[in-house]
Amino acid sequence: MTTTPAIDLMGTLRSGNSTSPRLTWYGPDAERVELSGRVLDNWVAKTSNLLQDELDAEPGMRLRLALPAHWKAIVWALASWQLGLETVLDGGPADFLATDDPSGATGEDAAVIAVALPALAMRWPGELPAGCLDYAAEVRSHGDVFMAHTDPDPEGCAVRTSEGRTVPHRELLTGFAVPHEEGARVHVPADRGLESALSSALGAWQRDGSVVLTHPGVALTDKLRADERIHGS
């Protein structure tokens, strides 16, 4: 079986200190979501299975993320990389579009997935355009373990950055991730954008660290920093 850094990373997150917090989200209206390595892997597996089994995604295809920096957006990126897809961050054309605003989708997007951002959302709040898939309503029915139908290509493109730079899967953790200290609990402000959140999270996880991601409306107070034991940036 061919492996990639993203696949190896998911294996580490679900097996090494798997009950420790790996991704904590502070959202609007006092929303707080904490995902351990095992729970994060579970969400990523379900999302990968949705892409593979329901949308026929396979290595080399492109997924555009039209999402803010949010824990669900990070799940989508990890699922994309686990499958061997190219994650598109520059707004370019793609085979799949994951968005929190499906009304803005165009005919260039072959498959549109509406992602409701509230943690407790069980379905999209309101009517969806015809043919649009409701992530919240569909994802929970998919398996907790992901088995790829086709091996990813380590030389294939993993991410197209907002500036159009491409990074292959084999270099995702060396050419895209931002380095952090070993075991750092890193604060990532969402107002820096999804690309910054993804690169920072990957850099923390590859050094056995974790991430606290905060919505633009959430202030990083001394209390929050102390409560979350943030000691990296």
Side-chain angles (χ1 to χ4, degrees):
M1 174 183 174
T2 302
T3 188
T4 62
I7 293 173
D8 294 340
L9 178 63
M10 295 313 303
T12 299
L13 289 177
R14 67 174 168 265
S15 60
N17 297 319
S18 62
T19 59
S20 299
R22 293 294 186 176
L23 176 59
T24 305
W25 160 254
Y26 278 83
D29 302 320
E31 182 181 73
R32 181 182 183 277
V33 177
E34 182 171 281
L35 286 76
S36 66
R38 184 178 302 161
V39 172
L40 178 58
D41 176 67
N42 181 267
W43 273 95
V44 173
K46 285 179 175 294
T47 305
S48 298
N49 282 321
L50 182 153
L51 277 164
Q52 179 174 259
D53 298 339
E54 197 155 335
L55 297 173
D56 297 323
E58 57 185 29
M61 298 180 80
R62 307 178 83 202
L63 167 69
R64 179 156 64 95
L65 295 181
L67 294 166
H70 187 276
W71 70 269
K72 290 185 181 179
I74 292 177
V75 165
W76 269 95
L78 290 170
S80 170
W81 294 326
Q82 183 169 245
L83 261 166
L85 305 185
E86 175 183 341
T87 297
V88 178
L89 301 177
D90 67 352
D95 301 286
F96 313 103
L97 168 66
T99 178
D100 63 330
D101 182 16
S103 65
T106 70
E108 295 179 0
D109 303 299
V112 180
I113 307 100
V115 182
L117 297 181
L120 299 180
M122 300 300 292
R123 61 186 56 82
W124 183 262
E127 295 295 322
L128 283 173
C132 185
L133 187 145
D134 186 344
Y135 176 64
E138 299 292 336
V139 68
R140 288 175 174 82
S141 66
H142 289 271
D144 297 344
V145 177
F146 175 68
M147 299 292 291
H149 295 169
T150 306
D151 286 349
D153 179 6
E155 303 300 322
C157 182
V159 60
R160 183 176 298 272
T161 71
S162 58
E163 297 179 348
R165 181 172 67 93
T166 58
V167 181
H169 283 279
R170 60 179 171 78
E171 295 179 6
L172 186 63
L173 299 183
T174 56
F176 180 67
V178 173
H180 290 292
E181 295 179 359
E182 187 73 22
R185 178 80 163 150
V186 178
H187 172 240
V188 179
D191 57 10
R192 293 183 184 173
L194 179 55
E195 184 173 325
S196 175
L198 292 173
S199 59
S200 196
L202 289 173
W205 292 330
Q206 72 169 324
R207 298 296 300 276
D208 198 30
S210 59
V211 172
V212 179
L213 178 63
T214 56
H215 184 272
V218 175
L220 180 64
T221 62
D222 290 342
K223 183 179 186 303
L224 191 153
R225 183 181 289 275
D227 288 348
E228 294 296 344
R229 301 180 181 178
I230 295 169
H231 57 89
S233 60

